[in-house]
Amino acid sequence: MQRGPTSFDIAALAGVSQPTVSRALSGSPSVSEATRARVLAAAEELHYKVNKNASGLRRQQSRTLAVLFFDEELPEGAELNPLYLSLLGPMVKHCAECGYDLLISIQQLSSDWHVDYEDSRKADGIILLGYGDYIEYLPKLEKLIARGTHFVRWGSGDESQIGTTVSSDNDQGGFDATSHLLSKGRRKIAFIGSADPGCPEFLERWRGYCRALRAARIEPDDSLRVDSGPSEREGREALEKLLERGTEFDAIFAVSDVAAIGAMHALQAIGRGVPEVAVVGFDDIPAASLSSPPLTTVAQDPRQAAEALIDTLIMAIEGGSPPNRVLPVKLTVRQSSG
Amino acid sequence: MQRGPTSFDIAALAGVSQPTVSRALSGSPSVSEATRARVLAAAEELHYKVNKNASGLRRQQSRTLAVLFFDEELPEGAELNPLYLSLLGPMVKHCAECGYDLLISIQQLSSDWHVDYEDSRKADGIILLGYGDYIEYLPKLEKLIARGTHFVRWGSGDESQIGTTVSSDNDQGGFDATSHLLSKGRRKIAFIGSADPGCPEFLERWRGYCRALRAARIEPDDSLRVDSGPSEREGREALEKLLERGTEFDAIFAVSDVAAIGAMHALQAIGRGVPEVAVVGFDDIPAASLSSPPLTTVAQDPRQAAEALIDTLIMAIEGGSPPNRVLPVKLTVRQSSG
DNA sequence: ATCACCTATACATACGTATTCAGAAGGGAC
DNA sequence: GTCCCTTCTGAATACGTATGTATAGGTGAT
């Protein structure tokens, strides 16, 4: 392995000492402008880059953040949640802007992730992404806090007081989606998703749904609610279950785009068209605009979410006490709702 | 920042010296089994993890690989290429299995990415992902080679001799897709994509397309070829161009799923159904199975591709001279081709 | 019993940076 | 001209690991 130039090489070329190089490059005010200029020129000439390992070792930090995806289904080659994937690009980008690197990891909830990262000094802080059972990883969150590890979670903000979270305004999203369907004259709006507190995000969307109905003086009808996960298959099966039940419905609000698309497929399979049955999803994944008909959905802004996660985490690392953040959502109307 | 235990702490607890701890943990044969067991127990007890910075500094390597995405459109908040995103999960996973970390970065082709990574010792090697103009970054590849940086590229293997590549069998994919359409009785198969050598992958698919036609004693007809990029809009526009041209066609082979879906939308907009016009795409992105009708496509296996990239790169890092690899593709027949 | 030899461990050191502390050079006030 | 103060730079050192070299303890042969 050929070795690059060190700060000593720069020092020699610039005619100063190594510490001066370090100071000059890190912007210390105690270096004169003339010296700094010479050092920068020398560094440029030799293509010098600070050695991250040495720097990290000395300052006891890595200037790296870790993203941990939780995805129980991954062993079977399943895809990561599209929403998280769409966060990835913006996260990387914003991280770079803030002077941090981003390390990605995919974990099973059951593994020992909670000790892996800070322990090996790979990352200064952790971003946790994952649907999945909130309850199940609660004890591990407590351990993280006990160790003083900095972390931010994507999820529901109001349900628990553990750790800092960034989330979309799920309640408002559910409200907007439902209000939109009501404004189209729909009255029998099925809800595909779960009101299980293990998935606080879905629960909030359900609450928003109920709130919108009540605002229109309609009492939520449990027979219009089908418990379902967020996958295409589950969305399809949820709709089939609804049909078996025999409950009439003229619209569907699904807690994820993928489930909404699954429901549309099931509808089309039995000859009920969309938007005769109006459909609204949640997330605005790339496939939403590619479906037929294109899906009306509640968009979460991935860039904004990514930046909020990064900013919040960095604030925590640098000693602040960042508040939870709830990000606005935006109803994106396409053809599936008429 | 609370500091974790060091190898000295383990040494004290196990009653040995620090070097012995290091050797025991790295599996050196010159440590007796009894000692190794004691060390491991002590390490376990204190939740000891090797400090990556110190270890990397000492051994002059990071045990980290970097993935560089190239995406010119990203500044506008566009999405990363779905195919690359689907590589990400499997790459992270396989990296972990091989004992490496994965660092993600998104770059503009124009930036100085070629000096950033190895220079700062952040990564032992680089994986380059990106459609985009191969010609444009050729000089930078040459610089990478000159510096002795290890890297692997995703792309076309046969077009250039620069660097090691891993690619799908694009030619065979084009052949299979076209043969499939021919077997369905189609004779006027439009090709949406580009035969520009700046995109060697598309060129190879075009060649496979021609090969299949000739095998059926049909001479490729240039008026059936529309130059197009891989986006939904470009696919739609390509089809509109084809219609303006007035050339008859009964099938479409598009070089990307997204373009294929765009073409389907354009078809549906003018009332020509799918699969009356049969459509085949390329990539098998998640949205392919969600479209209406579900899209027949040439699937590239993301897991296999990811593992090939990682394995090839690690082989290069560890001193080998890995060969280029061409991965098999698989035609996935769905409803869009009849 | 002496020596050679092998095994298992300890000692010393290097990796490249950032920081504390001390000191040199220069300027102003008396 | 002396003294002090400010501004800048250099010397020394610590971060935690891995490894080359030295050494202790044991075994077997002569």
Side-chain angles (χ1 to χ4, degrees):
Chain A
M1 185 186 224
Q2 61 164 350
R3 294 218 294 266
T6 74
S7 49
F8 286 94
D9 298 317
I10 307 305
L13 183 60
V16 296
S17 69
Q18 179 270 329
T20 302
V21 172
S22 174
R23 279 190 271 255
L25 294 178
S26 62
S28 158
S30 70
V31 169
S32 70
E33 279 313 314
T35 306
R36 189 191 310 282
R38 256 186 310 143
V39 169
L40 287 178
E44 180 73 19
E45 187 179 335
L46 299 186
H47 298 295
Y48 171 75
K49 300 278 168 179
V50 171
N51 181 315
K52 287 261 173 184
N53 283 324
S55 174
L57 175 58
R58 176 60 231 246
R59 352 163 66 139
Q60 300 287 16
Q61 57 168 15
S62 57
R63 301 283 300 174
T64 297
L65 308 181
V67 184
L68 267 57
F69 288 96
F70 292 106
D71 210 320
E72 293 303 299
E73 298 176 64
L74 208 81
E76 302 140 38
E79 306 291 338
L80 283 170
N81 182 318
L83 175 67
Y84 297 149
L85 286 181
S86 67
L87 286 178
L88 211 47
M91 278 200 296
V92 171
K93 199 144 168 286
H94 192 60
C95 247
E97 287 162 7
C98 297
Y100 281 79
D101 284 321
L102 195 62
L103 207 50
I104 314 281
S105 180
I106 297 174
Q107 304 277 338
Q108 308 298 301
L109 267 184
S110 44
S111 72
D112 266 354
W113 54 270
H114 58 290
V115 297
D116 253 30
Y117 272 79
E118 258 221 338
D119 275 2
S120 57
R121 307 293 177 286
K122 279 189 289 199
D124 299 334
I126 301 179
I127 293 169
L128 300 172
L129 294 182
Y131 281 142
D133 197 341
Y134 168 68
I135 309 296
E136 190 179 331
Y137 67 117
L138 216 150
K140 299 199 175 173
L141 293 185
E142 284 167 348
K143 271 190 208 148
L144 279 187
I145 292 183
R147 308 176 135 258
T149 300
H150 304 293
F151 69 92
V152 183
R153 230 156 29 85
W154 174 258
S156 154
D158 75 14
E159 199 60 24
S160 87
Q161 289 71 0
I162 289 236
T164 310
T165 60
V166 174
S167 65
S168 285
D169 194 338
N170 291 299
D171 181 278
Q172 188 64 35
F175 181 87
D176 290 349
T178 310
S179 299
H180 168 69
L181 290 168
L182 290 167
S183 78
K184 292 284 180 178
R186 312 297 168 141
R187 286 298 174 269
K188 298 176 176 168
I189 304 172
F191 177 90
I192 294 185
S194 137
D196 174 356
C199 267
E201 294 151 284
F202 295 170
L203 178 58
E204 289 175 16
R205 292 171 198 176
W206 163 254
R207 287 194 184 133
Y209 161 88
C210 294
R211 186 159 62 88
L213 288 180
R214 293 206 175 97
R217 313 204 166 280
I218 300 178
E219 193 54 27
D221 175 359
D222 263 357
S223 67
L224 279 169
R225 196 188 81 206
V226 191
D227 280 351
S228 163
S231 74
E232 197 267 350
R233 186 180 48 75
E234 289 167 307
R236 233 174 34 227
E237 290 169 358
L239 196 100
E240 286 158 6
K241 222 178 292 173
L242 193 60
L243 292 169
E244 278 172 30
R245 225 181 254 176
T247 318
E248 275 183 59
F249 59 93
D250 54 13
I252 291 166
F253 170 44
V255 292
S256 88
D257 283 348
V258 180
I261 291 173
M264 290 208 295
H265 286 170
L267 280 172
Q268 288 161 348
I270 60 154
R272 288 189 72 173
V274 178
E276 286 77 70
V277 175
V279 178
V280 177
F282 209 111
D283 287 346
D284 199 20
I285 63 174
S289 64
L290 298 176
S291 68
S292 302
L295 184 67
T296 294
T297 187
V298 179
Q300 318 191 54
D301 181 351
R303 166 141 32 169
Q304 201 182 359
E307 294 181 0
L309 283 166
I310 304 285
D311 291 342
T312 301
L313 182 54
I314 290 180
M315 195 185 303
I317 289 170
E318 295 180 349
S321 298
N324 287 354
R325 288 189 51 185
V326 176
L327 305 174
V329 293
K330 182 160 155 284
L331 184 72
T332 300
V333 178
R334 299 200 183 91
Q335 284 89 307
S336 71
S337 58
Chain B
M1 182 186 229
Q2 62 165 348
R3 293 218 294 267
T6 74
S7 48
F8 286 93
D9 299 318
I10 308 304
L13 184 59
V16 296
S17 70
Q18 179 271 329
T20 300
V21 171
S22 173
R23 278 189 262 259
L25 294 178
S26 61
S28 159
S30 71
V31 168
S32 69
E33 280 312 315
T35 306
R36 190 191 312 282
R38 255 186 310 143
V39 169
L40 288 177
E44 180 71 22
E45 185 178 337
L46 299 185
H47 298 294
Y48 171 75
K49 299 278 170 181
V50 171
N51 181 314
K52 287 260 171 186
N53 283 325
S55 174
L57 175 58
R58 175 61 228 243
R59 341 165 75 137
Q60 300 286 15
Q61 57 168 21
S62 56
R63 301 284 300 176
T64 297
L65 307 181
V67 185
L68 268 58
F69 288 96
F70 292 106
D71 210 318
E72 292 303 298
E73 298 175 64
L74 209 82
E76 302 139 40
E79 307 289 339
L80 283 171
N81 182 317
L83 174 65
Y84 296 151
L85 287 181
S86 66
L87 286 179
L88 212 48
M91 278 200 296
V92 171
K93 201 144 166 284
H94 192 60
C95 248
E97 287 161 6
C98 297
Y100 281 79
D101 284 321
L102 196 62
L103 207 49
I104 313 282
S105 179
I106 296 175
Q107 303 279 336
Q108 308 298 303
L109 267 184
S110 45
S111 72
D112 268 353
W113 53 271
H114 58 290
V115 298
D116 253 33
Y117 273 78
E118 257 221 338
D119 275 3
S120 56
R121 308 291 177 286
K122 278 188 289 200
D124 298 334
I126 301 178
I127 293 169
L128 301 172
L129 294 182
Y131 279 144
D133 199 339
Y134 168 68
I135 309 296
E136 190 179 330
Y137 67 117
L138 214 149
K140 298 198 177 174
L141 293 186
E142 284 166 348
K143 271 188 207 148
L144 279 187
I145 292 184
R147 309 176 134 258
T149 300
H150 304 295
F151 69 92
V152 183
R153 240 164 12 94
W154 174 257
S156 154
D158 76 15
E159 199 59 25
S160 86
Q161 291 70 0
I162 291 236
T164 310
T165 61
V166 174
S167 65
S168 285
D169 194 339
N170 291 299
D171 180 278
Q172 188 63 36
F175 182 87
D176 290 350
T178 311
S179 299
H180 168 68
L181 289 168
L182 289 167
S183 78
K184 293 282 180 180
R186 312 297 167 140
R187 286 299 175 268
K188 297 175 175 171
I189 304 171
F191 177 90
I192 294 185
S194 139
D196 176 356
C199 269
E201 294 149 286
F202 295 171
L203 178 58
E204 288 175 15
R205 292 170 198 177
W206 163 253
R207 288 196 182 132
Y209 162 86
C210 293
R211 187 157 62 86
L213 288 181
R214 293 208 174 98
R217 312 207 164 279
I218 300 178
E219 193 53 26
D221 176 358
D222 263 359
S223 66
L224 279 169
R225 196 189 81 207
V226 192
D227 280 352
S228 163
S231 75
E232 197 267 348
R233 187 180 48 75
E234 289 167 307
R236 231 171 40 225
E237 290 170 358
L239 195 102
E240 286 159 4
K241 222 179 292 173
L242 193 61
L243 292 169
E244 280 172 26
R245 222 181 252 177
T247 317
E248 277 183 57
F249 59 92
D250 54 14
I252 291 167
F253 170 45
V255 293
S256 87
D257 283 348
V258 181
I261 290 173
M264 290 207 297
H265 287 169
L267 281 171
Q268 289 160 348
I270 60 156
R272 290 189 69 173
V274 178
E276 287 78 70
V277 175
V279 178
V280 177
F282 208 110
D283 288 346
D284 198 20
I285 63 174
S289 63
L290 299 177
S291 68
S292 303
L295 185 65
T296 294
T297 188
V298 179
Q300 318 191 55
D301 180 351
R303 166 137 38 164
Q304 200 181 1
E307 294 182 0
L309 283 166
I310 304 285
D311 290 341
T312 301
L313 182 55
I314 290 180
M315 196 184 305
I317 288 170
E318 296 182 347
S321 299
N324 287 353
R325 287 189 52 184
V326 176
L327 305 174
V329 294
K330 182 157 157 287
L331 184 72
T332 300
V333 178
R334 298 199 183 92
Q335 283 89 309
S336 72
S337 59

